[in-house]
Amino acid sequence: MELIDSNVFSLMLAFLLIGIAIFMYFLPAIIGFYKNKHNKLAIFALNTLVGWSVVGWIISLVWALSSDVKPQNIYINYPPDSTTK
């Protein structure tokens, strides 16, 4: 009976560690989706395809944590044209 309990505990521990590893692997993609980044699918693709290398994982993490730069509207007020009067 003790052998079965030990095997069940080992199996549960293995599943827990695999789950934590998968969560850590996809952490940049999770952050990208949580922050609703406009390029979240590209972050997910980079993380999935190149995340196995430490450099690819760090790049996707930095990309996910960076802020989205929204374009700003620039308004130019021209002086009234005196020739149209």
Side-chain angles (χ1 to χ4, degrees):
M1 189 61 123
E2 197 171 305
L3 180 63
I4 293 174
D5 292 339
S6 176
N7 286 340
V8 170
F9 176 74
S10 297
L11 186 63
M12 288 176 55
L13 183 63
F15 277 125
L16 178 67
L17 292 177
I18 289 171
I20 290 172
I22 290 172
F23 175 79
M24 290 300 294
Y25 183 82
F26 286 107
L27 185 62
I30 293 168
I31 291 171
F33 278 96
Y34 179 75
K35 290 178 68 174
N36 199 18
K37 305 269 300 174
H38 73 279
N39 49 7
K40 58 188 165 231
L41 292 178
I43 295 170
F44 176 75
L46 178 71
N47 189 23
T48 302
L49 299 174
V50 192
W52 55 268
S53 70
V54 176
V55 174
W57 189 85
I58 290 173
I59 290 172
S60 60
L61 180 66
V62 168
W63 193 6
L65 291 174
S66 66
S67 63
D68 283 336
V69 178
K70 294 185 171 56
Q72 294 181 349
N73 293 331
I74 299 174
Y75 298 101
I76 300 174
N77 292 327
Y78 291 106
D81 191 12
S82 61
T83 60
T84 57
K85 290 185 177 183

